[in-house]
């Protein structure tokens, strides 16, 4: 590619694309990690709130039993019997690992948080598929502004490259507008520092051409002056030949 504009746009758009992709990937992963931490915090807070309550109120039992609720809450006694389960058909393993753990329930991976009191074990679980779906949706929303801004950045780069190269286009137009006899120096004021050396070189070339043409014109003027006197004398002699009254006088004039 020989176009300077094309090269700049190619390099800048390539750099902007790579940067946008890197930002999008970083933001996506960061939001996924942060969302995962938020879900873990919710599991922990839910379990700790039930531990402090001592029993699950009736209104809270109804909310926890809602099929649309993505969590499973179970309360175990010290001897391993279940005193409460928000979803009776979904049993967590009898062996509880305090804190966070990933377990397999009915062929699906779940995230579980377990805590204890003196006589109970409280466990709150959530399907990892639900967490990942919600986290991915949140991450996509965080990346959307980058995807929307990418075309706008490309358009801005195209405009900025054109604006930056405008002085070069003006210089080309100024040179094309000159005739063969115009050897005045080009204007340097207002030009970028990268173009100034080129304009200085062109002005130096124009100065040398002007000096050379001046020397040629001076030489031609001097030559014309030197030739003017012999030509005048020759014209006088020819006039004498033309006016000679007879052949001897004409021969003498020719001699």
């Amino acid at each position: 590619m020989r176009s300077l504009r094309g090269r700049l746009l190619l390099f800048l758009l390539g750099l902007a694309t790579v940067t946008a992709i890197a930002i999008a990937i970083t933001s996506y992963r960061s939001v996924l990690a942060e969302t995962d931490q938020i879900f873990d915090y919710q599991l922990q807070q839910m379990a700790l709130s039930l531990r402090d309550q001592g029993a699950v109120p009736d209104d809270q039992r109804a909310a926890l039993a809602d099929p649309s609720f993505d969590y499973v809450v179970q309360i175990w006694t010290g001897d391993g019997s279940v005193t409460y389960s928000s979803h009776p058909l979904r049993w967590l393993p009898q062996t509880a690992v305090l804190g966070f753990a990933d377990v397999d329930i009915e062929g699906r991976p779940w995230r579980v948080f377990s805590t204890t009191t003196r006589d109970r074990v409280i466990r709150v679980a959530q399907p990892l598929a639900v967490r990942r779906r919600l986290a991915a949706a949140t991450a996509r929303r965080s990346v959307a502004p980058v995807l929307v801004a990418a075309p706008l950045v490309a358009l801005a780069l195209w405009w900025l490259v054109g604006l930056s190269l405008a002085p070069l286009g003006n210089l080309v137009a100024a040179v094309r507008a000159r005739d063969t006899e115009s050897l005045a120096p080009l204007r340097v004021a207002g030009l970028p520092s990268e173009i100034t050396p080129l304009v200085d070189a062109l002005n130096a070339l124009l100065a040398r051409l002007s000096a050379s043409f001046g020397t040629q014109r001076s030489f031609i003027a001097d030559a014309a002056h030197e030739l003017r006197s012999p030509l005048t004398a020759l014209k006088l002699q020819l006039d004498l030949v033309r006016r000679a009254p007879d052949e001897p006088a004409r021969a003498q004039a020719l001699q």
Side-chain angles (χ1 to χ4, degrees):
M1 183 180 296
R2 301 179 62 182
S3 171
L4 181 59
R5 179 193 295 268
R7 288 182 181 180
L8 288 174
L9 285 176
L10 180 63
F11 294 152
L12 291 176
L13 290 177
L15 179 60
T17 301
V18 172
T19 303
I21 293 175
I23 292 175
I25 293 176
T26 303
S27 299
Y28 189 86
R29 292 181 176 178
S30 176
V31 171
L32 285 179
E34 292 178 0
T35 306
D36 196 55
Q37 293 177 359
I38 292 174
F39 286 138
D40 281 348
Y41 178 77
Q42 290 177 345
L43 284 178
Q44 184 181 23
Q45 293 303 309
M46 190 179 301
L48 294 178
S49 65
L50 293 174
R51 183 189 64 180
D52 297 336
Q53 288 178 1
V56 181
D58 292 338
D59 57 345
Q60 193 169 357
R61 285 173 178 264
L64 294 175
D66 188 345
S68 62
F69 192 64
D70 294 326
Y71 297 91
V72 173
V73 179
Q74 288 185 350
I75 301 177
W76 300 60
T77 60
D79 59 3
S81 60
V82 179
T83 61
Y84 172 77
S85 177
S86 61
H87 295 75
L89 298 180
R90 295 175 179 171
W91 296 99
L92 295 173
Q94 292 184 353
T95 303
V97 178
L98 296 182
F100 292 101
D102 293 332
V103 299
D104 187 80
I105 301 174
E106 300 177 355
R108 298 170 60 192
W110 288 62
R111 183 71 166 170
V112 181
F113 179 79
S114 302
T115 185
T116 62
T117 63
R118 288 188 305 172
D119 56 352
R120 292 182 304 164
V121 177
I122 301 172
R123 290 194 284 182
V124 181
Q126 183 185 33
L128 285 178
V130 174
R131 293 168 62 120
R132 291 168 182 167
R133 184 179 68 249
L134 295 175
T138 304
R140 285 193 295 268
R141 286 194 296 269
S142 69
V143 173
V146 177
L147 300 179
V148 173
L152 299 178
V153 171
L155 183 62
L157 287 176
W158 177 83
W159 179 75
L160 288 174
V161 168
L163 183 65
S164 300
L165 295 179
L168 185 58
N170 295 335
L171 176 63
V172 173
V175 173
R176 286 179 176 174
R178 294 192 168 211
D179 54 24
T180 56
E181 296 182 357
S182 179
L183 298 177
L186 298 168
R187 293 183 57 186
V188 182
L191 293 177
S193 58
E194 291 80 6
I195 304 178
T196 301
L198 174 62
V199 178
D200 290 338
L202 288 175
N203 287 337
L205 176 61
L206 292 175
R208 291 194 297 270
L209 289 175
S210 179
S212 177
F213 291 162
T215 303
Q216 292 180 2
R217 286 192 293 268
S218 178
F219 172 78
I220 292 173
D222 293 341
H225 177 73
E226 294 295 332
L227 289 173
R228 189 174 297 113
S229 297
L231 287 175
T232 302
L234 183 58
K235 288 180 179 179
L236 292 174
Q237 295 297 330
L238 290 174
D239 188 58
L240 290 176
V241 172
R242 182 175 60 81
R243 295 181 180 182
D246 51 24
E247 188 62 29
R250 184 177 296 107
Q252 183 177 1
L254 288 175
Q255 184 64 34

